[in-house]
Amino acid sequence: MVDKLPKSAHPETIAAQALGLTDEATGSIVPGIHLSTNYERDENYDKPQDRSYIRDQGPTQQHCEQVIAALEGGAEALTFSSGIAACTAPFHALKHGARVAVSRTIYHGVLTWLEIFAADRGLGVDYFDAGNLDELSAIIAKGDTRLVWLETPANPSWVVTDIAEAAKIAHGGGAVLAVDSTAATPVLTRPIELGADIVCHSATKFLSGHSDVIAGALVTADTSTELWQRIHDHRIYAGPILGSMEAYLLTRGMKTLFLRVARQCENAMAVARYLHTHANVEAVHYPGLQSFPGHEIASHQMKGGYGGMLSYQVPGGRDEAIARVLRAGVFKRATSLGGVESLMEHRKSSESNVTTTPENLIRVSTGIEHVDDLLADLEQMLV
Ligand SMILES: *Cc1c(COP(=O)(O)O)cnc(C)c1O
């Protein structure tokens, strides 16, 4: 495949044209979906384009990875079979007994997995407050932390962490900073430019954007580190790779990433403002609201919007919150996020017991619908 875009191309252009790569054999604008698992060696017994087997050399996957790396401004990306496979890979790549510092507010699946895995692997885990990095500083000062893991904005309260500050603290103690940037997307935040070493995505969400692909990705700032090499090894030898069809669908989805995220941010802001003034709403958590504790950090860290994710709390507990969600019409009553359709869920029902999510919290993912339809739906739900 041939890279036809100028070096100066903007991320919007890189996304829309998937790096401008076309198929050399046919000239097709859309490169083919390569399903072959293996590649024929030539008359000298050399591998064609250095490929022999699909597990880490599929051209459809590699194209997708190149687009993700370019959008994040990273040196290399690796795709995975799911977001959680990507999130857990850096921990798998650590040596037995390593210490990690992990934000208390992250996607519940990673927290749950870490509780099991850390004990089995002898990993030492120190948890820190995502909104106040003094705790992280104190952990790093002890001097033996290998990896710092955080998510921003973070599920499900959307607390925002200052990535540049976290990177400074982590690097001061010789630790690597990994950021789950699923909710921010490379449209709004490029963590590597702010000092992060590794960026993680559940590409199931905004990157693919149509609620029909499960995929994950990691991006590195530097391919030469031992940790990144071990992540490569983990993917090749444990095998959590992305299938060719999924890689194709993910690349296709990313072509409209910028348009979708811009609209999702607009809709989320309108929904957050509406909920913020509503008498039957106790609290709204959205980085775009001036009353949000992390608003200042979000304003300089997130460019062009505050994301498509927010949560709100209603008076009462679990039953009252579920009763509200049951009245949703335009909003789909479903978990997950980042798709073109707006979603709403009683968050605690989707999480395991490791989280402290309040029972009256409803999580919203805004899609690309007309905002008036979303606001009208909320109005009839909240009367
Ligand atoms: C959904 C999600 C994950 C897990 O991704 P899957 O694709 O569902 O495996 C990880 N991190 C965040 C922030 C998520 O929203």
Side-chain angles (χ1 to χ4, degrees):
M1 289 187 285
V2 197
D3 188 344
K4 288 184 180 153
L5 285 180
K7 285 264 172 295
S8 59
H10 292 82
E12 289 84 345
T13 308
I14 290 169
Q17 297 198 6
L19 274 171
L21 299 180
T22 52
D23 187 70
E24 267 174 297
T26 61
S28 62
I29 295 282
V30 180
I33 306 171
H34 294 278
L35 297 170
S36 186
T37 54
N38 43 1
Y39 298 84
E40 190 178 25
R41 286 174 180 264
D42 67 16
E43 50 280 8
N44 300 315
Y45 209 66
D46 288 332
K47 299 173 186 175
Q49 295 172 28
D50 208 30
R51 291 198 174 91
S52 67
Y53 191 58
I54 196 174
R55 201 180 312 122
D56 71 334
Q57 298 167 332
T60 308
Q61 288 83 347
Q62 287 173 339
H63 182 193
C64 182
E65 288 163 356
Q66 286 163 15
V67 174
I68 295 171
L71 293 180
E72 285 291 358
E76 186 176 67
L78 292 175
T79 50
F80 289 84
S81 51
S82 66
I84 202 131
C87 291
T88 55
F91 295 95
H92 275 292
L94 293 171
K95 291 183 181 157
H96 189 275
R99 285 206 82 79
V100 295
V102 177
S103 163
R104 269 187 209 98
T105 314
I106 56 169
Y107 174 69
H108 75 103
V110 177
L111 273 183
T112 308
W113 173 83
L114 202 54
E115 291 239 321
I116 304 163
F117 180 82
D120 290 351
R121 186 66 78 90
L123 285 189
V125 188
D126 296 307
Y127 291 99
F128 63 91
D129 186 327
N132 170 1
L133 292 176
D134 291 347
E135 277 183 11
L136 177 61
S137 295
I139 294 164
I140 296 291
K142 291 191 274 176
D144 54 0
T145 305
R146 262 306 268 130
L147 175 71
V148 176
W149 180 270
L150 62 87
E151 178 181 322
T152 182
N155 264 289
S157 59
W158 312 111
V159 52
V160 172
T161 303
D162 188 329
I163 296 171
E165 192 58 32
K168 227 181 284 166
I169 296 167
H171 295 161
V176 164
L177 174 65
V179 175
D180 185 335
S181 194
T182 297
T185 82
V187 175
L188 306 175
T189 306
R190 307 223 294 178
I192 287 172
E193 287 174 357
L194 299 169
D197 302 286
I198 292 176
V199 181
C200 177
H201 282 285
S202 168
T204 311
K205 315 293 171 53
F206 290 96
L207 292 187
S208 63
H210 294 74
S211 313
D212 56 5
V213 180
I214 183 160
L218 291 179
V219 188
T220 187
D222 178 0
T223 56
S224 69
T225 65
E226 191 195 2
L227 184 67
W228 188 250
Q229 289 312 311
R230 287 173 64 95
I231 289 170
H232 259 274
D233 288 345
H234 166 71
R235 196 182 65 151
I236 298 172
Y237 301 117
I241 63 143
L242 191 61
S244 301
M245 294 297 287
E246 285 77 8
Y248 170 78
L249 285 170
L250 174 51
T251 304
R252 178 185 158 120
M254 286 189 291
K255 293 181 178 185
T256 55
L257 178 67
F258 282 80
L259 289 177
R260 286 188 282 104
V261 169
R263 176 63 163 251
Q264 286 166 305
C265 289
E266 276 174 30
N267 282 350
M269 185 62 107
V271 165
R273 285 193 174 135
Y274 174 84
L275 291 170
H276 189 58
T277 56
H278 202 289
N280 291 337
V281 172
E282 266 183 8
V284 184
H285 309 279
Y286 184 60
L289 292 177
Q290 262 169 15
S291 56
F292 186 80
H295 178 69
E296 285 283 300
I297 300 165
S299 294
H300 66 76
Q301 183 162 285
M302 304 177 79
K303 310 281 184 207
Y306 297 90
M309 295 306 300
L310 63 128
S311 297
Y312 65 102
Q313 289 173 259
V314 291
R318 176 190 164 82
D319 293 347
E320 289 77 8
I322 289 177
R324 293 294 181 195
V325 176
L326 281 172
R327 297 175 65 162
V330 177
F331 282 91
K332 299 288 170 223
R333 289 185 293 273
T335 192
S336 199
L337 57 103
V340 291
E341 55 288 294
S342 292
L343 309 174
M344 196 177 281
E345 69 167 333
H346 174 250
R347 186 56 189 162
K348 190 66 184 166
S349 297
S350 289
E351 295 183 342
S352 70
N353 285 331
V354 300
T355 69
T356 54
T357 300
E359 284 286 1
N360 66 345
L361 184 138
I362 298 170
R363 193 181 82 169
V364 176
S365 171
T366 50
I368 62 168
E369 302 92 339
H370 196 292
V371 67
D372 291 350
D373 295 331
L374 300 180
L375 298 181
D377 200 31
L378 285 171
E379 184 146 336
Q380 65 80 26
M381 282 173 63
L382 287 167
V383 284

